[in-house]
Amino acid sequence: MDDKGLSTMYDAILFIVMISLSSIILTPIFEMQTINKLAGERYRENVAEETLHTFLVSMPSNFNYNLGGSIVDTAAETLGIDVADNNNLYHTITTLILGREQLHKTYNCIIAENLCSQFMIPISNNDSIKLNIFTEDFNEKLKDKIIKYLLGHLGDYNFNFTAYWYPIKGVHIGGILQVGDPIPDTTCYHAEETFVIPINIDFNKNLLFNISYIKNITGILEDHDIDNITKTSLSENLTALFRGFLLDGLLYNNISYPSILDIFISYGLSNIEDAIENISSKLINTAIGEGLYTLQGILGDIDNTTYYTGLFNILEKEFIDYLTNSTGINFYNLTGIITPLEDIIKPVIWNILEPIVEQLTSYIIDEFSSTSSNSIEILMDLLFNQVSTKATAVLVVWEDYI
Amino acid sequence: MRFWYNRRLYRNDVAVSEEFTALPALAVISIGLTLFLIVFSSAEKSYDIQKESIDEYQTAGFLLDHILDPNAPIMKDKGVINYPFLNSIDGRNYLESIRRQTGNINFSISLSFKDEEHFYPSTPCDTDRIAVSQSIAVYLNEVETIPGRITIIIWWDTIG
């Protein structure tokens, strides 16, 4: 029996070391930081979505703007009238005649109307202009309202609100409204909603079946197999179909079927004509005696006999001047504006659309080669998919890390 | 002192011993064990509390989603609550019917807009409660739809 032994504290020390190791393994449970941070992030994602939806369905308390306000102000300023003073006769008269109030409409209706009235067109590859100069005040006042609402509800966060309507997808034609700070590269929370616009872009799909391009395509598909010759012919017909539908217009039984661009431009121009006529006719219908004479005396053409024609001509001239200066092409009056305007816009749009249409045509030809049934349906769906009949509102929210 | 240099160092049997040699080791071990038990039980407890809390907040969230379902009669549209209906007897009956479905969970809804706050069906109890809120639009009448905040406050009925 060996009585020799050695006693140390090593086993106690080993025990302590093991316990410390297990505590270190368990420490993450005490730090709830990650869990709290995740819970906070989920709340922030919901904030963006909830705030956007609540904003779009509420009504502003009182919202009014002056139609054509800035144009008339400019004309008056050149004659020495103080347009900044809110208490003088000029201000009272213009608010009476040109003031518009939007009553009982939700924000999505008001924003949709604004987007449809902007009449924005691209004039070169990087540049677009808003042609409706009479609604500048509408734009500014609406932006102020939106900023005020969002600051009140999202005070802790930075935000960027963008609402846009592009009738031809991918092309910057239509209208856009942007408020807020530019979007940073950090983590942002994003909410998006679509809503309807007041313009009716309605098509009778059945009419399209008789368009010559579609007839050619159906003819090719029925009679021949898809080989290289039919592919070229198919792609030509498809490109012509897309271009006609979106830009040039299509012929059906010798009747011109307007393109999306045609509809958009005639809608925009009719808006502008309405604006000019409303301003001028309100002038007539509002009998305020001396005030009427004073305003007309300030703004009217001295040679003309009727008040109506004087103001109408001034406003029309303003619009034509603006159009001439922005596009570099001489316009003379409102009639006969459509064709030269389209001649400027079409090449720019086709530049952007051509690659998209190429991709679509090759996709469609692949579809035709693989399945023969419902090919025309696919084609129609893709065609109408290029048109957007709704406006989109996007709210991006992020925190400011200092 | 003769026996000191007779022995070698590594085979020195001369020693001084106290009475209870195991006591220092025992002290260290008991302190260590106590600390370990404290760590372990805190971990378990915090996990338990967290699980229960998530469960409770989820219940409140689901109940709020159920009440704010767009097909419910108190909602005019998605995200818009019908204030006149909520104030009426039909609104109270609707909330009572939901209350009957929730078992031992009692709830109260608080709607706040402009500077007012209203509780439906009645003001909440003073016991332990959980609240979840969401922003919402309030339809006051044909011409006014304003933004507001809706909060659901739930508490558990004690048995008996």
Side-chain angles (χ1 to χ4, degrees):
Chain A
M1 204 157 88
D2 197 350
D3 297 331
K4 300 184 178 115
L6 207 55
S7 164
T8 62
M9 291 245 293
Y10 282 140
D11 45 354
I13 293 175
L14 192 66
F15 183 62
I16 297 295
V17 166
M18 294 294 218
I19 291 189
S20 318
L21 275 179
S22 56
S23 310
I24 291 173
I25 292 175
L26 284 177
T27 21
I29 296 197
F30 301 116
E31 289 169 28
M32 304 266 262
Q33 269 182 18
T34 319
I35 298 172
N36 288 342
K37 199 169 90 143
L38 284 177
E41 288 197 3
R42 206 167 146 246
Y43 169 69
R44 265 175 244 131
E45 279 175 17
N46 282 347
V47 157
E49 209 177 296
E50 283 171 18
T51 313
L52 180 63
H53 185 74
T54 311
F55 168 65
L56 287 177
V57 297
S58 13
M59 297 181 187
S61 41
N62 46 0
F63 176 62
N64 40 30
Y65 57 92
N66 280 344
L67 187 65
S70 50
I71 306 296
V72 177
D73 279 351
T74 322
E77 255 178 351
T78 58
L79 296 163
I81 299 176
D82 181 6
V83 301
D85 188 0
N86 273 350
N87 292 325
N88 59 8
L89 186 62
Y90 175 79
H91 177 84
T92 317
I93 295 175
T94 45
T95 316
L96 193 63
I97 296 181
L98 304 174
R100 296 237 146 162
E101 200 172 347
Q102 293 274 13
L103 291 170
H104 315 152
K105 287 191 186 166
T106 54
Y107 273 110
N108 54 9
C109 288
I110 299 180
I111 294 179
E113 277 182 24
N114 181 294
L115 292 177
C116 285
S117 70
Q118 279 182 15
F119 197 20
M120 178 173 80
I121 58 168
I123 46 174
S124 70
N125 279 337
N126 301 329
D127 212 5
S128 29
I129 52 169
K130 293 188 185 174
L131 281 188
N132 198 342
I133 49 179
F134 302 107
T135 52
E136 262 177 46
D137 197 38
F138 187 11
N139 295 348
E140 292 305 310
K141 294 255 169 72
L142 183 58
K143 280 190 193 178
D144 286 340
K145 269 282 186 194
I146 297 178
I147 286 194
K148 205 165 138 208
Y149 181 100
L150 288 178
L151 274 179
H153 281 77
L154 286 177
D156 300 330
Y157 307 105
N158 294 350
F159 58 85
N160 177 303
F161 176 85
T162 311
Y164 59 85
W165 171 55
Y166 298 142
I168 303 180
K169 286 187 189 171
V171 180
H172 283 212
I173 183 174
I176 186 168
L177 202 67
Q178 242 181 347
V179 300
D181 308 315
I183 302 180
D185 286 332
T186 57
T187 320
C188 303
Y189 304 97
H190 166 108
E192 192 174 308
E193 256 192 59
T194 57
F195 47 94
V196 294
I197 46 167
I199 180 175
N200 186 13
I201 305 184
D202 198 12
F203 302 103
N204 191 348
K205 285 192 182 180
N206 294 329
L207 270 184
L208 269 192
F209 278 104
N210 290 323
I211 301 290
S212 56
Y213 303 120
I214 302 247
K215 281 189 174 162
N216 289 350
I217 293 174
T218 17
I220 294 175
L221 286 178
E222 279 168 13
D223 298 336
H224 311 278
D225 293 324
I226 309 271
D227 58 10
N228 280 341
I229 305 176
T230 53
K231 267 194 185 168
T232 344
S233 156
L234 267 183
S235 86
E236 274 172 13
N237 272 308
L238 284 170
T239 315
L241 179 68
F242 272 94
R243 193 179 162 134
F245 179 69
L246 294 175
L247 293 186
D248 293 329
L250 299 166
L251 266 183
Y252 159 61
N253 275 356
N254 292 334
I255 305 174
S256 268
Y257 193 70
S259 67
I260 305 287
L261 187 66
D262 291 333
I263 297 178
F264 174 71
I265 291 196
S266 51
Y267 177 76
L269 282 179
S270 74
N271 262 355
I272 291 194
E273 280 177 14
D274 279 349
I276 299 182
E277 197 173 306
N278 268 339
I279 297 174
S280 320
S281 67
K282 251 194 152 171
L283 189 65
I284 293 300
N285 294 335
T286 316
I288 49 173
E290 275 184 30
L292 176 73
Y293 183 72
T294 315
L295 181 63
Q296 182 51 34
I298 292 168
L299 300 173
D301 213 349
I302 304 174
D303 290 329
N304 273 345
T305 48
T306 60
Y307 301 139
Y308 174 87
T309 332
L311 190 55
F312 186 95
N313 284 347
I314 287 193
L315 294 173
E316 188 187 24
K317 184 172 172 306
E318 283 287 334
F319 175 66
I320 299 289
D321 281 346
Y322 176 71
L323 199 58
T324 311
N325 288 341
S326 324
T327 58
I329 304 206
N330 283 332
F331 291 94
Y332 298 104
N333 51 21
L334 278 184
T335 55
I337 235 184
I338 297 188
T339 322
L341 198 58
E342 282 194 352
D343 285 340
I344 305 172
I345 304 175
K346 277 187 197 173
V348 179
I349 298 186
W350 187 241
N351 252 350
I352 304 171
L353 276 185
E354 196 170 4
I356 301 177
V357 171
E358 260 182 51
Q359 271 189 338
L360 283 172
T361 27
S362 49
Y363 171 73
I364 294 174
I365 293 182
D366 286 340
E367 279 293 312
F368 283 167
S369 341
S370 54
T371 57
S372 56
S373 63
N374 289 336
S375 315
I376 297 293
E377 294 291 325
I378 300 175
L379 171 61
M380 297 299 237
D381 282 340
L382 279 176
L383 199 61
F384 286 100
N385 234 2
Q386 296 311 304
V387 179
S388 156
T389 50
K390 284 194 175 165
T392 313
V394 177
L395 177 65
V396 181
V397 154
W398 68 93
E399 277 189 324
D400 205 13
Y401 298 105
I402 302 174
Chain B
M1 298 257 268
R2 269 190 60 208
F3 50 88
W4 271 108
Y5 46 82
N6 255 355
R7 312 287 180 196
R8 281 163 279 241
L9 217 56
Y10 57 89
R11 288 230 304 206
N12 194 341
D13 301 334
V14 178
V16 174
S17 171
E18 52 180 62
E19 212 166 271
F20 296 102
T21 53
L23 274 181
L26 212 62
V28 171
I29 285 180
S30 58
I31 291 176
L33 198 64
T34 319
L35 287 177
F36 176 71
L37 285 176
I38 291 176
V39 163
F40 190 71
S41 62
S42 309
E44 275 288 312
K45 202 163 159 213
S46 80
Y47 173 73
D48 237 359
I49 292 177
Q50 189 196 323
K51 194 165 70 113
E52 218 181 283
S53 152
I54 289 182
D55 197 23
E56 288 173 356
Y57 277 99
Q58 260 192 356
T59 311
F62 286 146
L63 193 53
L64 186 62
D65 281 341
H66 179 67
I67 291 178
L68 296 185
D69 183 58
N71 292 327
I74 57 169
M75 297 295 284
K76 186 164 181 310
D77 266 325
K78 175 171 178 277
V80 185
I81 196 166
N82 191 340
Y83 181 67
F85 184 84
L86 192 59
N87 262 336
S88 67
I89 296 186
D90 293 325
R92 258 163 243 275
N93 287 343
Y94 173 72
L95 288 178
E96 291 293 319
S97 75
I98 294 193
R99 167 73 191 91
R100 282 194 284 276
Q101 295 172 17
T102 57
N104 65 339
I105 300 177
N106 208 340
F107 67 88
S108 159
I109 296 201
S110 147
L111 189 63
S112 60
F113 54 87
K114 284 187 199 164
D115 287 324
E116 322 168 356
E117 186 174 5
H118 301 276
F119 289 96
Y120 305 97
S122 52
T123 50
C125 254
D126 247 342
T127 56
D128 282 335
R129 26 189 212 196
I130 299 259
V132 170
S133 61
Q134 179 176 326
S135 75
I136 201 173
V138 183
Y139 166 85
L140 296 177
N141 48 50
E142 285 288 334
V143 303
E144 264 192 288
T145 305
I146 54 183
R149 201 142 185 100
I150 189 167
T151 312
I152 187 171
I153 304 164
I154 68 176
W155 63 94
W156 279 262
D157 286 337
T158 49
I159 305 171

